[in-house]
Amino acid sequence: NDAEAILEVSKEAAEIAAASNSIPLISIARGEDETTTNNNADSTTKQQQQQTEETTTQTATNNNNSSSSLMTNNNNAPSIKQIVIFTFSAAGVFWCGPLLSLIDTSAVGLLSGTAQQAALTPATAVTDYAAMLMAFLYTGATNTLASSQQKDSGDPEKPKTTVALIAVMQLSAYVGTALGCSLFVFARPLLRTLIGNDSISAEVFNAALKYVRIRAIGMPAAAIIGSTQAGCLGMQDIKSPLYVLGAAALVNFLGDCLLVRLKYSLFGGAAGAAWATILSQYVAVGLFVRRLCSKPTRPLLPEKKNKNISKAILELTGDDNSDSKGKGRRAKFLRALKTLGPNEKRSVKTKQESYSSRGLLAGKFKGSDLFKFPKA
């Protein structure tokens, strides 16, 4: 009995001791869990703060980039002057034919007489309205060259733009030839339809018929000029169309002064004005091809003078008792420093140079290539 009692007491003591040893273990485990949880919470909070700071920084950077891009876009926006010049150049594509007809009418009226001038009224209407049928070429040329140049941005050789321009010129030659042949064949019925009756005198009608048929020979040149001018506008070249328009008008005026006063029926009067017009058109084509195929020559730069940098530095850092030239430089330098504020933002306006298509086809195109069929 005593032995059993001792065993029971020993078991109870062992259980109590085990229980007493397990309590700190549990508390320690709980403390470790709480510490781990707190550490995880702290790390999570720090990560969230870092993400918030990164998001804020990125947002500020994006805002700065967007504002700078807006400022850049505003600085690169075309001015009113540039818009007016571009509009005038674009209108020159459609002014070329009517302007040449106007010069013909004026020259014939002054140099050849009333009958020949009366013949030009229906004749110029037929030729100018027929030329308007090729307006789809001009629209297509502008869109094609603009998209090709966008694809070639950054490439100085501009291969896609070159291929597109050559194809436009070749296609225009074929379309102009087809229109010219049709106009030459159907000149008589077109004039009779426009006049409306046969009451017009034979002299006036024959003069008008000669004018229309001679102008039909120049339709290929008119198509090439119009399409190439439109393509230059698609490339943002506003100078070339104006040069060609001015050259064609000048040659036409000089040709009218020489040919209209002649007494030959095939080369004088209204017929002479027509010959002068197609001469000016083909001359303009030749000038256009030459401009596209010849690169501009760079002017010789003047010799640079050697500057004494040490002397300039001494003048800027010297005292007011030095020479007057250094004193003036220091005054300008100080005024420039005062204009530079620490937090002041300035929009720098860059001068936009107009693109020139001169030399674009150098070594890639010849005048005889106009008669080749355009590549697909």
Side-chain angles (χ1 to χ4, degrees), residues 135-211:
F136 71 94
L137 285 174
Y138 312 151
T139 304
T142 303
N143 295 335
T144 303
L145 269 299
S147 60
S148 299
Q149 190 181 31
Q150 183 65 27
K151 295 177 182 178
D152 287 338
S153 59
D155 189 352
E157 295 297 327
K158 297 187 179 298
K160 296 181 179 179
T161 305
T162 302
V163 172
L165 181 58
I166 294 174
V168 164
M169 296 173 67
Q170 292 172 341
L171 181 62
S172 301
Y174 281 94
V175 173
T177 302
L179 180 62
C181 293
S182 300
L183 188 61
F184 189 90
V185 173
F186 297 102
R188 185 180 296 273
L190 287 174
L191 285 173
R192 289 189 180 277
T193 303
L194 184 63
I195 294 171
N197 52 43
D198 296 332
S199 60
I200 189 172
S201 64
E203 181 184 2
V204 174
F205 185 84
N206 291 332
L209 183 61
K210 290 178 184 177
Y211 183 88

Side-chain angles (χ1 to χ4, degrees), residues 100-363:
L100 300 181
S101 298
L102 180 62
I103 295 174
D104 290 346
T105 304
S106 302
V108 171
L110 292 174
L111 301 176
S112 189
T114 306
Q116 297 292 323
Q117 186 180 19
L120 291 183
T121 302
T124 55
V126 170
T127 54
D128 292 342
Y129 289 148
M132 291 298 294
L133 295 175
M134 298 184 294
F136 71 94
L137 285 174
Y138 312 151
T139 304
T142 303
N143 295 335
T144 303
L145 269 299
S147 60
S148 299
Q149 190 181 31
Q150 183 65 27
K151 295 177 182 178
D152 287 338
S153 59
D155 189 352
E157 295 297 327
K158 297 187 179 298
K160 296 181 179 179
T161 305
T162 302
V163 172
L165 181 58
I166 294 174
V168 164
M169 296 173 67
Q170 292 172 341
L171 181 62
S172 301
Y174 281 94
V175 173
T177 302
L179 180 62
C181 293
S182 300
L183 188 61
F184 189 90
V185 173
F186 297 102
R188 185 180 296 273
L190 287 174
L191 285 173
R192 289 189 180 277
T193 303
L194 184 63
I195 294 171
N197 52 43
D198 296 332
S199 60
I200 189 172
S201 64
E203 181 184 2
V204 174
F205 185 84
N206 291 332
L209 183 61
K210 290 178 184 177
Y211 183 88
V212 172
R213 286 181 170 174
I214 295 173
R215 284 288 300 270
I217 302 174
M219 281 298 165
I224 296 172
I225 292 173
S227 298
T228 312
Q229 284 179 326
C232 289
L233 293 177
M235 295 183 290
Q236 297 182 357
D237 180 9
I238 60 176
K239 294 182 179 180
S240 297
L242 295 180
Y243 290 157
V244 173
L245 180 62
L250 179 61
V251 174
N252 189 24
F253 175 76
L254 295 177
D256 285 339
C257 293
L258 294 175
L259 297 176
V260 170
R261 64 181 65 199
L262 297 178
K263 300 301 181 181
Y264 301 101
S265 60
L266 189 58
F267 297 101
W275 285 115
T277 300
I278 66 170
L279 175 64
S280 66
Q281 289 174 333
Y282 282 103
V283 168
V285 170
L287 294 176
F288 224 147
V289 172
R290 183 177 180 181
R291 179 178 177 83
L292 292 173
C293 296
S294 61
K295 292 184 177 180
T297 57
R298 295 182 179 180
L300 296 177
L301 297 177
E303 296 182 357
K304 294 183 178 180
K305 297 181 180 180
N306 295 327
K307 295 183 179 179
N308 193 343
I309 300 177
S310 301
K311 183 179 178 181
I313 294 175
L314 291 175
E315 289 178 352
L316 289 175
T317 57
D319 54 4
D320 294 337
N321 296 326
S322 59
D323 57 346
S324 59
K325 188 174 182 181
K327 186 177 181 180
R329 286 186 176 180
R330 285 193 298 275
K332 292 180 180 180
F333 183 69
L334 291 176
R335 285 196 299 269
L337 289 178
K338 291 179 181 179
T339 58
L340 298 176
N343 296 323
E344 185 178 0
K345 294 182 180 180
R346 291 181 175 85
S347 59
V348 180
K349 293 184 178 180
T350 58
K351 184 179 179 181
Q352 295 181 352
E353 297 182 356
S354 59
Y355 174 78
S356 177
S357 60
R358 184 174 182 179
L360 179 63
L361 304 181

